[in-house]
């Protein structure tokens, strides 16, 4: 399976130049690559976030530790898959 643009973006060491260079290389209208990257980022985050039921269960049970765990897992996903 071929990599997504976002996966290439994550691998790049110079994110800003990646966007400029690939926009030119892939002959995309200005701004389109950023839209594609943001969309792909959102999709990969959705796949990696913990189930929302874990958070709701913590709220219903008034279990702050469970709520905090859910939030920390979400923050970890955001850090692992930063928005372009």
């Amino acid at each position: 399976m071929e990599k997504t643009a976002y996966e290439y973006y994550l691998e790049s060491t110079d994110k800003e130049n990646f966007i400029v260079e690939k926009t030119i290389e892939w002959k995309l209208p200005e701004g389109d690559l950023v839209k594609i990257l943001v969309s792909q980022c959102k999709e990969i985050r959705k796949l990696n976030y913990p189930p929302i039921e874990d958070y709701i269960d913590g709220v219903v049970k008034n279990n702050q530790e469970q709520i905090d765990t859910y939030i920390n897992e979400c923050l970890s996903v955001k850090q692992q898959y930063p928005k372009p």
Side-chain angles (χ1 to χ4, degrees):
M1 187 171 164
E2 193 170 323
K3 292 182 193 178
T4 65
Y6 184 70
E7 289 170 318
Y8 283 115
Y9 171 80
L10 287 176
E11 292 173 356
S12 70
T13 55
D14 186 353
K15 308 273 190 258
E16 287 184 32
N17 280 331
F18 172 86
I19 292 171
V20 172
E21 291 170 4
K22 294 305 178 186
T23 295
I24 294 166
E25 181 183 332
W26 296 338
K27 298 178 172 98
L28 296 170
E30 189 174 329
D32 278 9
L33 181 55
V34 173
K35 291 176 188 175
I36 291 166
L37 293 173
V38 169
S39 175
Q40 291 176 350
C41 173
K42 286 180 182 180
E43 288 303 313
I44 201 165
R45 281 181 174 186
K46 278 185 196 179
L47 295 172
N48 287 280
Y49 281 140
I52 189 68
E53 291 84 2
D54 292 354
Y55 177 79
I56 295 169
D57 186 55
V59 171
V60 169
K61 292 177 181 175
N62 197 25
N63 182 335
Q64 191 59 48
E65 183 178 336
Q66 186 175 347
I67 294 168
D68 291 342
T69 298
Y70 177 85
I71 291 170
N72 289 330
E73 288 175 6
C74 287
L75 292 174
S76 175
V77 169
K78 288 178 180 285
Q79 186 174 31
Q80 186 176 0
Y81 302 106
K83 278 189 183 176

